[in-house]
Amino acid sequence: MRIKTTLAIALTVCQMAVAQNGPTMGWSSWNTYGVNINEQLIKRQADAMVSKGLKDVGFDHINIDDGFFGGRNSETGELLIHPTRFPNGLKVVADYIHAKGLKAGIYSDAGCNTCGNYYNGDKLSVNVGFYHYDQHDADFYFNECGFDFIKVDFCGGDAPQNSQRLALDPQERYTAISQAIKNTGREDVRLNVCRWNYPGTWVHDIAFSWRTTHDINDSWGSVKGILAENLFMSAYCYDGHYNDMDMLEVGRSMPLEEDKTHFGMWCIMSSPLLIGCDLSNIKPATLALLKNQELIALNQDPLCLQAYIVGFVNGCHILVKDIETLYGTRRAFAVYNPNDTQRKAKVTFSDLDLGGAVTLRDVFMKEDIGTFDTDYEVTVPAHGTRIYIAEGERRLERCRYEAETAYISDYQELKNNQSERTGIYESSSNCSAGYKAGWLGCSEQNDLQWRNVYSMEGGDYTLEIAYISGENRNITISVNGKKVQTTSFNSGDWQKTAKKNVTIHLEKGNNIIRFSNASSWMPDIDYIHLTPLSTAIRTITRQPTSESPVYDLQGRKISGKPTNNGIYIEGGNKVIRHR
C-alpha cells in the first residue's frame, strides 16, 4: 500500500489554496510589531511572502492589525488614517497587496476604542471602532479599500479594557457587524471574531473563525496553554468555520521542537495559520517548517475537520481526523507530548478505527516509515509532537466517543458557567482520555451531543455510558431526535467512574446521540462506547479468501470456518457474515 506522493499532496494544496475553503493562511503584523507598523513595513512583508515562496504553498493573506488609525472626523464620521505611519491611506496598501496576487486583511474593534489605545498608548485610535459606525466602516473597508479579511477585537466593548467603560453584548455587536459586512454585497470577506475566549455557539453562524483563548505570546507556556484549551473543541469546528488558536509565534524565540509542535498542532487542528515573525528576515529552518506542504495539506484538507482526542498514553495526547474522504482508510494522527521529559507512547491502530496492516508516513520528515500490524510505538521528545498519515487496509466502525469530542449547545466561555448553567469540559485524571464534560443539564439547550455517530450497517447497539455522579441524576437519552429513555445515574462518589448500559437503535450512516435534562443537573460524562447488541450478525469489510484472514467491523479477527451460505460461526454462538 502506498502513501500519496509528495507531488500529489503539493498539487492538492495548490488547488485548495485557490479554492480558499480552508482556514485562513497568511501573515499578520501584531505579534512582532504591535502598533508600530507603517506602509513600507507592510509592503515589505508582502514582497517577502512572494519571494520566499510562501505564497506558492498557500499563504496568501497580508493582514494589517492595530496601529493604522488616525481618529475619526466627528462631523462626517470618516475614519482617519495615521498621518505618518500610513501617509497615503489604506487603499494604496491594499492595492499593493492585491497586485502581488495576495489578499488584504484589516483590523477593528466592536466598541469605540481599540486594544492598542488602551494597552499600547496609541492616542489616535479613539472612536475608531465599529460602534455606531457599523455600515459606514464596512463600506469603507470592503468596498472603498477592497479588504478581504477583518479581525474584530473587543477591548472597546469590555468595560475593564476601555477608558469609556463600555460594556457591550458580544453577540449583539458581532451579529450587527457581520450583517453590515453582508450589506456591502461582498460575500467573500472573512470575519474573525476576537473575543479571546470561545464566545458561544452563536458565533458559528456569523463568523468565518473565532478566537478561543487569550492572546498568544512567544513562549512554550503560552502554546501549551492554548493547546490545552482547544483539545476539546473539535465539535465546534464544522462546515468550514474554524476555532482560531491565535497567530503563530513560529520563528521568533522558541526552540525548533516547540515550533514544530506549535505549527504542526495548529495544522492538524485546522486553526488559521497567520505567521507572526518578520518574513523579510525569516530563519531557514522556520521557512522550511512553514513551507511543509504535507502539514499544510492537513490544515487545508477539504473535509475542514479539527482533529479530536482518542487517547491519553503515558502523558501524551493522541488525536486523529479523517482526511480527503469521510470514513475512509486514510487518516491523520498526532502524538503530542506536553511534558517536560521525553515520553514513549504506543498508538493502537484500532483506536484510530483502522484495521489490518497500516502504512505510516511521517509528515514532518515527509517520508514513509513502514507498514505495521496492530500498533506503533514512538518516542516523543519533551514539548514535541509527531504527526503521521496512516493508511489502513480497512476502516473500522468507531466505538469509543469521548465526552470531550461532543457538542454542548449552550457552550460558552465568557461568563461563569455555574451561574449561567452552561456545560464545560474539565481535565480529569480519572477519565479515559484525560477530560470529562460536566455541569450539564438544567435546560434543554445545556445538552451533550455526539453529532457524527457513524454506523456502517445500522442496527441495535449497546450504548455503554461512563459517568461520574455522587448522587442520583437523570439523563434523557435520544437518538436522531427520538427519545429512547430517561435513566438515573449514581456512581456513589464524585471521584468514581461507573458504567451503565442502554439499548439503542442506529440508522445506517450518521446518527446523533443526545443527552439532556431540561430541569436538573446531569452526571458528568467520561465517554460512550458502542457495541452491536447482537454479536450474532455483523458485516465484514471484504470478501475472504482461503489465504486471507477475516475480520468483523470492530477489527476482531475471526477464526471460525464458514458454512455453505457464507455464515461464520465462532465460539459456538458468534455468527458473522460477509458481503
Side-chain angles (χ1 to χ4, degrees), residues 2-112:
R2 292 173 60 106
I3 294 291
K4 180 179 284 191
T5 66
T6 302
L7 176 60
I9 291 172
L11 291 173
T12 301
V13 172
C14 291
Q15 291 166 356
M16 287 185 291
V18 172
Q20 284 294 295
N21 292 322
T24 305
M25 295 176 61
W27 176 88
S28 190
S29 59
W30 184 259
N31 283 6
T32 294
Y33 300 104
V35 299
N36 300 308
I37 57 176
N38 58 65
E39 177 181 328
Q40 294 307 313
L41 184 153
I42 299 301
K43 289 180 176 179
R44 187 165 64 248
Q45 300 303 314
D47 293 342
M49 182 168 284
V50 175
S51 66
K52 302 286 186 180
L54 289 162
K55 176 190 172 187
D56 295 335
V57 297
F59 291 94
D60 63 353
H61 279 68
I62 296 291
N63 292 348
I64 304 170
D65 209 288
D66 204 352
F68 63 86
F69 294 104
R72 189 185 293 273
N73 186 308
S74 59
E75 295 181 1
T76 66
E78 176 189 7
L79 267 177
L80 304 177
I81 308 306
H82 201 287
T84 57
R85 296 173 184 167
F86 293 86
N88 299 304
L90 289 179
K91 189 177 187 304
V92 294
V93 184
D95 288 347
Y96 186 90
I97 294 169
H98 288 146
K100 293 284 182 179
L102 303 170
K103 296 182 181 295
I106 199 65
Y107 167 94
S108 189
D109 195 284
C112 289

Side-chain angles (χ1 to χ4, degrees), residues 233-309:
M233 294 293 292
S234 61
Y236 304 92
C237 170
Y238 63 97
D239 292 344
H241 298 257
Y242 303 97
N243 296 312
D244 178 9
M245 300 198 292
D246 206 359
M247 299 166 288
L248 297 168
E249 296 283 5
V250 174
R252 299 194 68 201
S253 71
M254 284 182 282
L256 181 60
E257 199 65 54
E258 294 174 357
D259 270 356
K260 288 170 62 179
T261 289
H262 183 4
F263 186 60
M265 290 295 284
W266 262 238
C267 283
I268 199 169
M269 295 176 75
S270 292
S271 176
L273 302 177
L274 293 176
I275 303 168
C277 65
D278 178 4
L279 297 182
S280 63
N281 290 304
I282 193 168
K283 294 176 284 190
T286 301
L287 187 61
L289 175 61
L290 292 172
K291 290 174 68 175
N292 183 322
Q293 296 177 31
E294 299 188 28
L295 281 172
I296 293 170
L298 301 183
N299 182 264
Q300 298 291 301
D301 185 82
L303 298 180
C304 306
L305 299 175
Q306 177 175 322
Y308 61 87
I309 290 179

Side-chain angles (χ1 to χ4, degrees), residues 33 102 123 201 214 227 236 297 302 304-305 338 394-395 415 417 566:
Y33 300 104
L102 303 170
K123 302 300 183 182
T201 53
H214 283 220
L227 285 171
Y236 304 92
C304 306
L305 299 175
R394 295 175 306 282
R395 178 61 180 264
K415 299 179 182 179
N417 77 285

Side-chain angles (χ1 to χ4, degrees), residues 7 37 117 152 282 308 319 331-332 382 406 437 522:
L7 176 60
I37 57 176
N117 169 258
V152 182
I282 193 168
Y308 61 87
L319 298 92
R331 311 198 80 193
M522 290 195 284

